[in-house]
């Protein structure tokens, strides 16, 4: 989440619908398949893309997961096999898309951001995921390996819940649901960090806290950019009638939509809270400055006049009568004492001490 | 209200519609029933859940209150008895839901936050409450014991008002009305605190006031998160035609809706007010800093030059004619006096004194 | 306008539609009646509430004004006589309602805030007024005596304008129009204050100005809370077809609506202006601080090194050759002069002087 | 544009539809007429109001311009002649109306603000103008003489463009178009000022710049108040079908509407820019403060310890061995030099120098 | 992008639909033509405007690019040849239009801003481009030479993609698509700058960074003004049915619209980020000030009292017993040491060191 640049880097002027031809150092796409119905489950990896054709017409539900969207050659082939629209392929191949949903005749196409918290780097990592829902298959395209779908795989394997008994649109739904659920984990992490910062702030505001606060604000800004369009996408699932999605599954989308709204609410609260903390920080800094200045002023105000007095009696005028007074020195000390005490009383009254 | 984390902690990837299985240390659910018609009232606790079945088909109105939504086993059983949808049960069992209303055929399901002011901890405590309205029963699910419904119970027992004579939708309404009415108490508490802070601020801005102000802003943020969705919920009650709610009762919901809007208005005013107070605080701090700096500057500006002068006549040059002057010392003192007086006049003119 | 608390203080949990039973120290309601048609005018006070019945069926237009909504007993009786809905009576009896309009069959019910500027206390005073429009009567309920309706009474008495010739809905309109017109006076007062503050700010920013500015921001926040909902109310009068209001009168409401929009525009401008003034204040304070610091720095920077120099030649080392130099003292003085002049030139260049 | 008060000063409680009776010192209205068709043009002043009647039924297009809306007597007469609605006349006679358009049967009534930049006073002057479009005449009411319509008059006189060939609605359009075009001049002035301020700010932030910036923000606020409602007005011309305006003319209004939107865009940019400049100013002030404080701190930190050292050797203890050392003085000087150099190195490292 | 003035400088009061007659120093328009179908391509420059007529009725698709919209004479002639509406010609000839689309019977007219990053001046340069889509031609009017369309020309020449096979509406689309794609490059530049600033800020906040940040905020404000209306324009292409655009091409506009929304999202994030950076800057400045003040205070607090002490024993009173004490000097030094150490301990405790 370092980069603040927009990722959509299709070379300006490229023919629309063209796959971005990256430096082909990109590793080849890695494809796994889970093909199931209530009774049976087939799970395998594929290297020969032609084998994919059978899943297009199979009567089982097939979840075809492709890791590595940089492999434009494989993408084109898959596009050919499943009749994917050229604009759709372009969207898959270019990272940094805005979350959206598109309806292509018998296919439904959704692009989302898969967020996960990278504990090592202590930051949020974003990966674009594109999901295509076809009549009896779901294609999921990920930028790289490693995802949040292990629970889904587990449920398919163990036949838990209604997943194995349901058509492909329910699988489509559970994938999206899992992605959105992961956002809560991110929020929880941020919430924890905010609480830590708050505690630290109230104890002792330091510049480190400020930087941490800033980096959280930064994360919130980038999260917002991911999640606001997501809400629109899910609203479409809830409100519009996509023929690819059965009414039964549509009711489930209502639930995911509710979660997104809740996520946005929380995000906004976090924004407000971090704003409030910044105010608190600034005020604390001002207060500390005041405290420092008070010390300086008290010390200066007491001793600068006294120093002047001492300076006076350190002068070498031949005729300074006080100097010859036997008790002159003691009178001087007494005067100093009186001045100090009355000054302190004055500052006490002014509540500077 | 300490935690700023989102509470919706369904383990990501759990099958949707699954009850959250908490560590089962959770105490068993505690169920109380008030079953009444105009003529009679039955009030009891239930331990054997099977006894609940009779209230589903009774021709009295039954209010079944369940304390302890952590007891997932009881929840499932109750869900079975009253045919509660699995998503609905999930929402009940997971704390931290966004307020919402759902329509399930013959049942209406509302989730709200029950706020109360905890005088001991001096903070607002939030508890989720889920209310199910069925044909002749109302189920209310609370996270824990202790609620705001004593006035409702009192009115049922004493047959005050039209509650005893009305069907279950009116009971449903009075419960929600009571919850919303309690929000006014919270606002009143916050309003009082704000007034106290304002008075303190104008008298003498201290860091404690700042922290208090921050904690109020924090509470307002979290209140907002509770109340904004509540408005949407109540708007639905007012505008949409739920077949479970009779037109007579619906007009009452208009009143509750008005109250929520008023609460939100007040909340926004409080936000503005606390923002204004922060500005006032910051300005006061700056003003105090100015006052401090003025003192320092006045003292320094007067005595630093004088000290230099004294230093000059404390030098040990062999030939300093002034030193031999008989009245040198007195001339020196007179000069100092003149300098001090003219400096003071200057500062007076500059309004620094 | 001291209190920032929400006023809606119906004891939480009270049966809806219940009159708030205040400590009955409240003085009894004071009722005046103006009953008129084009030809005749009857004006009187009433103490026996039963006398009100005649005005319900009179063929004259009757304006019944009730001062003192705390007298719940009288309220109930009046409610009975004019068939007022229980929720309506509740709204009348509880101060601090949000402005709103409700349609009860043959009656139209409006709640507004009557604002007036209290010159003595130098603040805005708010009083809730509830107006009921019936077929041939208008009931106006005020919290206490003293209102803004003298011009209306004058016009009724003198038969000026079309008031005496028009049915009750026109009277209803003129009352609301008068209330809204009074808002302009409030705005004018605030506008004057803002101009004064602005002038004072530019002349010399003091802490008093800050406090005044804050109190105006406070008033603007509270005004907003009164006037925003008022706009909604008047929009309803303009747009919706209330059968109690004739089309002729409805066109007049368009005018009042325009005024409210104008009031809101002005209010927003005032908000922006006062925000701009706060910025100006803060910047001025910073500027003054800079000026103060410059003085301190200039004085210190010039004299601290010189004092050091004087200190050096005040040392008692046995062997300090300069001290024995005949012109040592004069060289010292000359050096000081050079240092001072070059310092001043430096500060001049830096524009600190 | 000095006054921030709302101008709508109809005495509260006045009968609606009443002309404001000002102190009749107001000069008499001054009326000029241009009556034309494609072939001929009649241009004259009128003093006897009765002569106006002919233009109501003339088959030429007549543009009747009335300067001086304070002359309520003339206004009434004109109102009578052209059947102007009483509310309309009220709106004309009271300055400070919100821009709006009203449809009165065969007449269309628009109130606008005519802005012009007063180079002498260096401020924007606002004048309300009310325009009535009748079947074959246009009435324009201005507060005082002097307007922006010279180009329109020129086009009528010279038969330039399609004005002379078109019916009254086109004249109506060109008047409004001219008023809106003048807004661009105002914006250009403000844009120039903003650029000047920006240059000055980057060169050297002074308090004068701050005051200028504030006065621009003030102007922007007041402009906003004029222009936002204008947009609504023009949107109505573009969208709604007024039967007084032919479809041909309506397409031209689309153009004016586009201009208003562009004006608002620019205004908002100006707001943002001036906000950014204020931030820049505040930061610059803080930076200057830092620079000042650095100088003070560097000087003090170097010389205060040295002064102490000199003070030590200026003490009169009988037994201070260093004083008797032959090279004591030189060692002292050397030490001072070392201290100064190492301090400077330290500050250099801290980037304070 | 220096100028913040509104560019729309039609002389106020000019007859609407009049071409702005600039000082005719403007160079003559430079016209290039690409006329193609799938089989053939003709590419040429034109100096005699009459030659343009053939392209109006040609059965090839013609892209006529006019550089130099200041040449009002040529513009009029072209307008005549292609029947361009007078308002349309006015919009072309005046720079600084708001992006918009207009439907003129068989022609579709779009005005856009063509942004490009000027690496030399290190700023964004804006050029207005007006595109007219006719039945079989596209006219593009640019203010000056030099544009972003080289990739489009390349694709036409090399027959790459479907451009050569498609009718004029597809060419129209690709031009707009190329313009919008270039916005991403701008955003990338700004994103890079923001990252640089962020890194610099965290390392060491200087006034230069502040100025850079301000200039980016400025650019963002002006970009906003260009891009917001663009979104509206593209929404129209996506939603409305323009008969000049075939449904096939319309689906492509959906893609461009998505890009604009993404651009706006990114822009808003940049705004938030730059706002956050300003906060960070201000806080850093405050922190540095605190650090500076601490140093000053520590030094002053330690040495000012010590200097006073030294001053005391530098006094010339005849009777100061300590001075005669043999170890007086050493006791004095020891006292100073103790004072310094305890002061340092105190500051350590206060975390000022």
């Amino acid at each position: 989440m370092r980069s603040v640049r927009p990722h959509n880097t299709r070379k300006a002027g490229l023919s629309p619908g063209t796959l971005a031809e990256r430096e082909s150092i990109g590793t080849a796409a890695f494809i796994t398949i889970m093909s199931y119905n209530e009774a049976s489950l087939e799970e395998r990896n594929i290297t020969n893309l032609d084998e994919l054709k059978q899943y297009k017409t199979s009567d089982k539900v097939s979840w075809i997961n492709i890791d590595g969207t940089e492999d434009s050659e494989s993408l084109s082939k898959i596009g050919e096999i499943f009749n994917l629209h050229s604009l759709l392929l372009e969207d898959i191949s270019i990272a940094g898309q805005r979350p959206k949903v598109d309806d292509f005749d018998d296919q439904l196409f959704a692009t989302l951001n898969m967020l996960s918290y990278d504990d090592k780097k202590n930051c949020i990592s974003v990966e674009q995921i594109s999901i295509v829902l076809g009549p009896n298959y779901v294609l999921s395209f990920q930028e790289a390996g490693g995802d949040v779908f292990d629970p889904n795989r587990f449920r398919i394997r163990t036949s838990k819940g209604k997943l194995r008994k349901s058509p492909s649109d329910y699988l489509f739904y559970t994938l999206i649901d899992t992605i959105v659920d992961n956002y809560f984990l991110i929020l929880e992490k941020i919430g924890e960090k905010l609480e830590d910062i708050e505690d630290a702030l109230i104890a002792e505001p330091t510049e480190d806290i400020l930087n941490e606060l800033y980096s959280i604000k930064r994360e919130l800004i980038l999260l917002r950019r991911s999640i606001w369009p997501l809400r629109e996408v899910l609203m479409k699932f809830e409100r519009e009638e996509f023929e690819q999605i059965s009414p039964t599954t549509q009711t489930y989308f209502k639930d995911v939509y509710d979660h997104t709204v809740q996520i946005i609410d929380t995000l906004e609260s976090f924004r407000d809270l971090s704003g409030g903390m910044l105010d608190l920080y600034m005020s604390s800094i001002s207060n500390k400055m005041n405290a420092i200045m008070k010390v300086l002023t008290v010390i200066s105000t007491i001793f600068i006049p006294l120093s002047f007095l001492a300076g006076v009696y350190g002068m070498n005028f031949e005729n300074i009568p006080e100097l010859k007074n036997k008790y002159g020195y003691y009178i001087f000390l007494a005067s100093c004492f009186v001045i100090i005490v009355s000054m302190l009383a004055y500052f006490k009254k002014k509540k500077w001490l």
Side-chain angles (χ1 to χ4, degrees), chain A residues 7-8 64 90 96 181 190 207 238 249 291 299 348 352:
Chain A
H7 297 276
N8 195 325
I64 301 160
E90 192 196 340
D181 274 0
I190 296 182
E207 205 152 345
E238 192 206 340
T249 307
I299 292 288
K348 200 94 197 170
W352 289 10

Side-chain angles (χ1 to χ4, degrees), chain A residues 64-306:
Chain A
I64 301 160
N65 183 57
I66 298 101
D67 286 340
T69 52
E70 298 200 348
D71 178 356
S72 59
E73 207 177 316
S74 304
L75 272 197
S76 319
K77 231 178 205 164
I78 297 170
E80 237 169 73
I81 294 171
F82 289 97
N83 283 328
L84 304 181
H85 194 284
S86 62
L87 279 175
L88 189 159
L89 274 179
E90 192 196 340
D91 285 340
I92 292 174
S93 73
I94 299 174
Q97 296 292 324
R98 197 172 193 265
K100 67 174 174 178
V101 58
D102 278 325
D103 188 349
F104 292 94
D105 297 327
D106 62 336
Q107 292 172 331
L108 201 60
F109 171 62
T111 303
L112 302 170
N113 286 322
M114 188 161 64
L115 301 187
S116 53
Y117 198 86
D118 188 331
D119 278 311
K120 282 173 232 157
K121 298 190 193 159
N122 200 20
C123 73
I124 298 164
S125 76
V126 194
E127 192 180 341
Q128 173 174 322
I129 182 162
S130 310
I131 310 181
V132 178
L133 167 62
N136 60 340
Y137 55 85
V138 169
L139 305 174
S140 56
F141 296 86
Q142 306 185 26
E143 287 182 56
D147 59 31
V148 300
F149 294 137
D150 284 337
N152 303 62
R153 292 198 186 90
F154 180 75
R155 263 147 66 199
I156 292 177
R157 283 183 201 126
T158 56
S159 299
K160 259 203 165 180
K162 41 182 287 199
L163 188 46
R164 281 280 285 277
K165 299 162 215 155
S166 309
S168 60
D169 62 338
Y170 189 78
L171 172 61
F172 180 71
Y173 151 71
T174 57
L175 294 183
I176 292 178
D177 184 56
T178 303
I179 292 170
V180 171
D181 274 0
N182 262 279
Y183 285 26
F184 281 105
L185 297 181
I186 307 284
L187 287 185
E188 222 169 305
K189 280 275 177 196
I190 296 182
E192 278 169 32
K193 276 192 193 175
L194 275 178
E195 280 191 20
D196 289 351
I197 289 178
E198 190 180 43
D199 290 342
L201 251 186
I202 287 170
E204 167 78 16
T206 70
E207 205 152 345
D208 285 349
I209 297 179
L210 182 65
N211 284 330
E212 251 182 90
L213 192 57
Y214 172 73
S215 89
I216 282 199
K217 286 187 102 175
R218 210 175 175 292
E219 280 178 350
L220 289 175
I221 290 169
L222 299 187
L223 269 180
R224 242 173 93 92
R225 202 158 93 196
S226 279
I227 294 174
W228 268 98
L230 180 64
R231 195 179 80 149
E232 293 164 32
V233 169
L234 289 169
M235 204 186 319
K236 278 188 190 163
F237 283 124
E238 192 206 340
R239 305 255 163 96
E240 281 177 40
E241 306 250 321
F242 292 113
E243 54 178 29
Q244 299 90 337
I245 292 183
S246 65
T248 336
T249 307
Q250 199 173 354
T251 49
Y252 282 97
F253 272 110
K254 192 175 169 355
D255 205 56
V256 198
Y257 174 70
D258 281 352
H259 286 171
T260 335
V261 173
Q262 195 178 349
I263 288 170
I264 287 175
D265 281 6
T266 309
L267 219 56
E268 295 304 307
S269 302
F270 281 178
R271 251 170 95 94
D272 284 357
L273 278 173
S274 63
M277 285 182 200
L278 188 70
D279 288 342
L280 192 65
Y281 180 86
M282 292 299 281
S283 314
S284 295
I285 292 296
S286 293
N287 273 323
K288 282 175 76 176
M289 180 77 104
N290 266 13
I292 294 172
M293 295 311 299
K294 276 179 194 165
V295 169
L296 176 60
T297 304
V298 166
I299 292 288
S300 304
T301 310
I302 290 176
F303 285 103
I304 288 182
L306 291 183

